[in-house]
Amino acid sequence: MIVLSGMRPTGRLHFGHYFGALKTWLELQKCDQNKCYYMSADWHALTTDYANTSKIHDNILEMVADWIAVGIDPKKSIIFQQSMVHQHIELFLILSMFVPLGWLYRCPTYKDQIKEIKNRNLNNYGFLGYPVLMSADILLYMTDIVPIGEDQLPHLEFTRDIVKRFNYFYSDNLFHIPNAKLTKTARVLGLDGRKMSKSYNNTIFLTEDIDTLYQKINKMITDPTKIKQNDIGHPKICVVFSFIQLFYDKTKQLNIQNNCEQGLIGCVKCKHLLMEILSEFIKPLNSKRKYLLSDKTYLVNILKTGSDKASNIADKTIKRIHKILKF
Ligand code: TRP
Ligand code: SF4
């Protein structure tokens, strides 16, 4: 199976990225039958952050360092940079010739972001075309499986519609319909109980400094009615518990849940437990990340090698399209 996914390069990654995407990327990489493409979605980053690109290069390297630190292996998977494979833009342009504007204006992610993001002007051609660009990413490699979070599903639906329209116009079955692989974790909560996101400033980074990690866990929202240790608690509304669920098996989770609900454990103890779990997870990542970022040319070379490989495959698709379009 051909697998492709991408992330916008926003710098170091947090636990939302890990449970929302990377864990599935790792799972798919494990299977020898899969050929996985993992891409830094540079142009997608530009659709919203076009006005200030000064950090983009560092952000790409930091993101890729985190990918490799958690186990994305450049020997097994093709790690590449969208902007280094020019065929993405070519297919983006070709597809944009027959994508109806109505599809784009109706796209739920477009409507949501226009409403939500107020500090930037998103009334742009590039931003409107975001799903077309994402479709180009997916179709260039004849992708079978696209691991994504639920929020990206409308874009995959969009890609499927593009395939049908392409086949209708050119009566050619060049592309097949790709499938999503949704991540199991619905969403990772941030320190304040909202969705974990850099823009809410509520994240825990995968490579968090351990002192900062402790401070952040101390700030985490628990059940506000549980003040004393023997007060009865409600784990379902507690961020600490939501994290424990991500790491513990069912029996251990149930144990904590019962103890909390019966007032047998206090939040301080619970937080200490989480500190232990998370620092054990983070420590090896911290040293790997430090090592990787100490040699930036190594990271740049991984991206170059991956992008060359991707480009070879992408070129075949573009050549076939030129033929179909009778150029
Ligand atoms: N839009 C995706 C996101 O924000 C990133 C992305 C770009 C992507 N191209 C892709 C994901 C292709 C999957 C496949 O998360
Ligand atoms: Fe949350 Fe643990 Fe406190 Fe219960 S005891 S509210 S699970 S931190």
Side-chain angles (χ1 to χ4, degrees):
M1 291 285 187
I2 297 187
V3 174
L4 179 134
S5 197
M7 252 183 221
R8 277 168 292 171
T10 49
R12 57 204 296 222
L13 303 180
H14 54 67
F15 277 89
H17 294 116
Y18 182 76
F19 287 104
L22 286 174
K23 225 176 141 210
T24 320
W25 291 20
L26 288 167
E27 238 170 69
L28 289 163
Q29 175 187 257
K30 248 194 240 153
C31 176
D32 285 336
Q33 267 87 32
N34 289 343
K35 184 165 191 181
C36 301
Y37 294 86
Y38 295 131
M39 175 189 83
S40 166
D42 309 349
W43 300 133
H44 283 98
L46 222 55
T47 61
T48 49
D49 295 329
Y50 54 86
N52 183 358
T53 58
S54 58
K55 293 209 184 93
I56 195 133
H57 184 69
D58 285 344
N59 281 350
I60 292 168
L61 295 187
E62 289 201 37
M63 176 178 75
V64 172
D66 283 354
W67 289 357
I68 298 173
V70 300
I72 301 295
D73 180 352
K75 290 202 190 79
K76 287 192 192 140
S77 298
I78 297 177
I79 298 177
F80 77 101
Q81 216 181 306
Q82 190 186 34
S83 60
M84 283 191 191
V85 182
H86 61 82
Q87 289 87 347
H88 286 254
I89 311 169
E90 188 164 349
L91 186 54
F92 168 61
L93 184 87
I94 296 168
L95 301 178
S96 70
M97 297 302 166
F98 62 78
V99 170
L101 282 174
W103 291 11
L104 294 166
Y105 284 120
R106 272 197 302 274
C107 189
T109 48
Y110 176 74
K111 290 197 282 189
D112 288 353
Q113 299 247 42
I114 288 277
K115 238 190 272 159
E116 242 172 68
I117 301 180
K118 289 280 178 240
N119 58 350
R120 274 161 291 178
N121 182 358
L122 292 184
N123 234 329
N124 302 312
Y125 174 58
F127 183 67
L128 183 66
Y130 191 105
V132 186
L133 183 56
M134 186 157 152
S135 303
D137 301 338
I138 295 167
L139 297 178
L140 259 184
Y141 303 95
M142 308 294 168
T143 306
D144 301 295
I145 304 174
V146 188
I148 39 175
E150 213 163 295
D151 61 313
Q152 295 293 312
L153 258 187
H155 296 152
L156 196 78
E157 241 359 275
F158 197 95
T159 311
R160 295 156 72 99
D161 288 341
I162 284 189
V163 171
K164 289 180 202 151
R165 204 162 164 83
F166 185 94
N167 291 345
Y168 169 76
F169 284 129
Y170 309 113
S171 29
D172 194 290
N173 291 321
L174 174 64
F175 299 123
H176 57 264
I177 303 228
N179 286 308
K181 181 167 170 64
L182 284 184
T183 43
K184 282 183 210 106
T185 322
R187 58 184 200 163
V188 177
L189 297 183
L191 303 173
D192 56 1
R194 293 188 288 175
K195 178 186 173 198
M196 185 177 281
S197 160
K198 253 190 181 171
S199 49
Y200 293 149
N201 202 11
N202 64 0
T203 58
I204 298 182
F205 292 109
L206 287 178
T207 51
E208 192 71 79
D209 157 74
I210 297 298
D211 287 337
T212 323
L213 173 73
Y214 290 172
Q215 285 164 23
K216 286 188 171 179
I217 293 177
N218 274 329
K219 273 202 302 197
M220 254 186 197
I221 306 268
T222 63
D223 174 0
T225 62
K226 186 164 163 62
I227 294 154
K228 294 194 291 308
Q229 185 189 313
N230 52 1
D231 285 341
I232 284 164
H234 305 85
K236 293 215 166 77
I237 56 163
C238 168
V239 178
V240 177
F241 187 69
S242 78
F243 262 86
I244 287 175
Q245 280 178 309
L246 293 171
F247 287 92
Y248 269 5
D249 62 34
K250 278 268 168 324
T251 336
K252 278 179 156 178
Q253 283 177 31
L254 212 61
N255 190 24
I256 306 265
Q257 183 177 340
N258 288 339
N259 284 341
C260 171
E261 286 171 349
Q262 290 163 28
L264 299 173
I265 186 177
C267 296
V268 175
K269 185 150 177 228
C270 218
K271 284 186 168 180
H272 279 146
L273 186 68
L274 184 61
M275 284 173 189
E276 250 171 60
I277 301 173
L278 281 184
S279 54
E280 209 174 295
F281 183 90
I282 283 175
K283 271 179 192 158
L285 300 186
N286 272 349
S287 48
K288 273 191 216 156
R289 174 190 161 86
K290 202 166 155 203
Y291 172 73
L292 287 163
L293 285 173
S294 69
D295 183 6
K296 292 203 171 147
T297 50
Y298 170 75
L299 289 172
V300 169
N301 282 333
I302 284 178
L303 285 166
K304 274 196 188 139
T305 312
S307 300
D308 282 346
K309 284 187 195 157
S311 187
N312 277 332
I313 307 289
D315 211 47
K316 294 202 173 96
T317 308
I318 294 292
K319 290 220 166 86
R320 285 169 75 181
I321 295 177
H322 277 217
K323 236 189 195 154
I324 290 169
L325 297 180
K326 315 263 190 293
F327 275 93

